[in-house]
Amino acid sequence: MEKITPDSKQCDSFLLHNLILDTGIIRQLVEKVWKTKDLNTYGFLALFAATDGGLTRVFPNKAADDWEEDPEPFNASYYRRSLDNKGYIFRAPYRTLSDDILNPENDTIGILVSTAVEITVGGKTIKPAVVGVKLDLEAWVDKFKILASNQSDGRQGSHKCGPSSGCEMDCEVNSDDLLCYLIDDGGFLIMSNQKNDWNKIGMFFSEVDASLMHALYNNSFYNRKQSFDYQSVCEPVPSSNTGAAPRGVFVPTIADFLNLAWWTSAAAWSLFQQLLYGLAYHSWFTTDDVEAEGMDSRETSCVTIQTQFYFTNVTSSYNILQDCSNCSRLFHAMRINNTNLLFVVAEKLPCNSCEIEKLSQVEMEFKVDNSCEDMAVARYRKGPSTCFDYNLTENTSDCGRGYSFRPSLKVLMCLQLLLWYLTASPRILPLPTAL
């Protein structure tokens, strides 16, 4: 702002006016709406809004200190997903098995819910902002159980199914026998009626229930797309050198000793020349840090594969039987309208395990058994993480230039005279002779 003023030609006055307008609208939203609401009553941890002008506002201020999303709206995933999709987008903090285990009693887990604001101006629909809330997981799991239970409101009062009644799929009453999940469009766990699964919120659902995720994939609720990164790096595989080959004792001959003496003399003369050249180019005292285990931990080039899951056109299915080798169970699944959620109710698996393929979305090394057959299938190449913008006003005159050291002429002359003197005086430094 010191070099570029609002009156400068390089300043985009249109974006500046949008930012000022967004600031005024968000301030009125905070003063007239957000401050009049009790967040604890609704089970909210925070309220937020992100505008097209680049402004992000989080309320209250203590929630802004714990805000983990990118403050630039166009770099935040919730902002882009809300603009590209209709309805409410639910998103849990992404976690893997290698992350620290969350303790729901001490750690507050928040679920991000966002939606785009649509305004029609002159017959055109624009989306100037994205608004949303951050849900308290513990408070909203109780609401989730009520919504997922069989309750009916009549004139004689509300009636709730109990253990003695004929209600089978009740996530609140029969929580010991039924598994109820909310899964997003990418296959990540959002909510569960099992308290033991609260520390797995945000994980890929295959890490929570691998057999149920495989059943959802087999019944076409999810589809997957695999992308390949041909310029990735992988950790080296440790090689074992503990072979049992026979070993012998080498006995050197006189010719070997003479050959060793000649190579020693040549090596000494070469090291002396390197010393002189290093002094001439002033690079003797400039060294790089070298790790002792650098050769062992060096990464190698490899091909990695990453799998992404997404919803298909299947919206609901009931009484699906998942048959394992020793047991079976029923489950229901249904897409929730105007959201990116899938509601799944399943019986607990009677047996301990089910022999199925465990689906994964983690990037891993791709190993080909038969390259000819694999190349016949079309692949999706993974793009770079960052793109380089092209600008006509960019100064590229310095690009592609080389750099060379220019030693002092006096140092080179002294070095040449010293080499002549050493060559003319073999007694000082004997030259290597051919045997």
Side-chain angles (χ1 to χ4, degrees):
M1 294 300 294
E2 295 179 356
K3 297 181 180 180
I4 302 177
T5 61
D7 298 333
S8 176
K9 295 181 179 180
Q10 299 180 4
C11 181
D12 194 335
S13 59
F14 179 75
L15 295 179
L16 184 60
H17 293 162
N18 283 348
L19 180 60
I20 297 175
L21 178 62
D22 293 343
T23 304
I25 296 176
I26 295 300
R27 184 178 62 84
Q28 294 182 7
L29 178 64
V30 174
E31 296 292 337
K32 297 182 179 181
V33 180
W34 288 356
K35 287 187 176 181
T36 60
K37 305 296 181 181
D38 185 10
L39 301 186
N40 295 327
T41 304
Y42 298 96
F44 295 159
L45 296 176
L47 306 174
F48 65 92
T51 66
D52 182 68
L55 179 66
T56 301
R57 180 69 165 91
V58 182
F59 178 84
N61 294 333
K62 62 179 181 180
D65 298 335
D66 301 332
W67 187 253
E68 298 179 354
E69 304 296 330
D70 198 308
E72 173 61 36
F74 288 95
N75 294 336
S77 62
Y78 75 89
Y79 186 85
R80 299 194 305 269
R81 293 180 64 186
S82 300
L83 293 181
D84 297 337
N85 299 276
K86 294 183 179 180
Y88 298 93
I89 304 300
F90 287 73
R91 177 178 175 271
Y94 175 71
R95 298 183 65 253
T96 60
L97 289 177
S98 59
D99 296 335
D100 296 335
I101 299 177
L102 294 177
N103 186 2
E105 297 180 357
N106 299 328
D107 300 329
T108 302
I109 304 175
I111 306 298
L112 219 62
V113 186
S114 59
T115 184
V117 178
E118 295 186 359
I119 300 177
T120 303
V121 179
K124 296 182 179 180
T125 302
I126 59 176
K127 299 179 180 180
V130 171
V131 295
V133 298
K134 194 173 186 180
L135 306 179
D136 186 2
L137 176 65
E138 186 175 359
W140 274 84
V141 164
D142 296 334
K143 300 178 185 294
F144 164 63
K145 290 180 181 179
I146 296 175
L147 294 175
S149 62
N150 294 331
Q151 292 188 9
S152 59
D153 294 332
R155 295 181 180 179
Q156 298 179 357
S158 61
H159 170 69
K160 181 177 179 180
C161 299
S164 59
S165 60
C167 299
E168 296 180 358
M169 308 303 284
D170 195 324
C171 295
E172 184 180 15
V173 177
N174 301 330
S175 59
D176 295 335
D177 301 326
L178 292 180
L179 304 174
C180 300
Y181 300 109
L182 282 180
I183 313 172
D184 68 355
D185 52 347
F188 294 91
L189 181 62
I190 300 296
M191 286 187 187
S192 172
N193 69 330
Q194 304 295 318
K195 196 170 184 178
N196 296 332
D197 294 335
W198 288 5
N199 58 354
K200 300 178 182 179
I201 297 297
M203 288 187 180
F204 188 61
F205 190 63
S206 185
E207 305 294 343
V208 181
D209 195 329
S211 60
L212 186 55
M213 182 62 192
H214 189 270
L216 293 174
Y217 176 73
N218 277 348
N219 288 273
S220 301
F221 280 98
Y222 286 95
N223 201 354
R224 64 181 178 182
K225 183 181 73 172
Q226 295 177 330
S227 58
F228 296 83
D229 187 359
Y230 295 93
Q231 298 178 348
S232 183
V233 291
C234 300
E235 294 292 336
V237 179
S239 59
S240 177
N241 296 325
T242 59
R247 293 173 173 82
V249 179
F250 174 73
V251 179
T253 61
I254 298 178
D256 295 330
F257 282 110
L258 295 177
N259 194 16
L260 178 62
W262 185 87
W263 280 108
T264 304
S265 177
W269 175 244
S270 177
L271 290 176
F272 183 72
Q273 286 182 328
Q274 293 295 331
L275 172 63
L276 297 179
Y277 286 136
L279 293 176
Y281 283 94
H282 302 281
S283 61
W284 180 260
F285 299 99
T286 304
T287 58
D288 296 332
D289 295 335
V290 179
E291 297 182 358
E293 299 178 356
M295 296 299 294
D296 297 335
S297 61
R298 181 175 297 175
E299 296 177 339
T300 59
S301 177
C302 64
V303 179
T304 57
I305 180 175
Q306 188 172 17
T307 306
Q308 294 178 333
F309 291 83
Y310 57 93
F311 279 154
T312 60
N313 296 328
V314 179
T315 57
S316 62
S317 183
Y318 302 98
N319 294 327
I320 304 175
L321 179 64
Q322 182 184 9
D323 189 11
C324 293
S325 58
N326 299 327
C327 59
S328 61
R329 64 174 172 181
L330 291 173
F331 71 91
H332 309 311
M334 181 178 180
R335 292 263 301 273
I336 300 179
N337 295 331
N338 207 30
T339 65
N340 66 327
L341 297 179
L342 177 68
F343 178 44
V344 181
V345 180
E347 298 175 341
K348 287 189 176 180
L349 202 62
C351 51
N352 295 329
S353 62
C354 187
E355 296 181 358
I356 47 89
E357 174 193 1
K358 184 179 180 181
L359 302 177
S360 176
Q361 53 83 39
V362 179
E363 186 176 7
M364 62 184 65
E365 184 178 359
F366 179 69
K367 298 181 180 180
V368 183
D369 297 333
N370 192 341
S371 58
C372 296
E373 295 180 359
D374 186 76
M375 291 301 293
V377 182
R379 292 181 176 181
Y380 294 91
R381 181 183 293 272
K382 183 179 179 181
S385 58
T386 57
C387 297
F388 297 94
D389 297 332
Y390 175 72
N391 193 345
L392 294 175
T393 61
E394 182 181 2
N395 184 12
T396 59
S397 59
D398 294 335
C399 297
R401 287 188 177 182
Y403 184 78
S404 61
F405 293 100
R406 295 183 179 180
S408 174
L409 182 60
K410 295 180 180 180
V411 175
L412 290 179
M413 292 297 296
C414 294
L415 178 62
Q416 190 66 29
L417 293 175
L418 180 60
L419 291 177
W420 285 345
Y421 176 74
L422 294 176
T423 305
S425 303
R427 295 180 180 179
I428 298 178
L429 184 63
L431 295 175
T433 57
L435 297 178

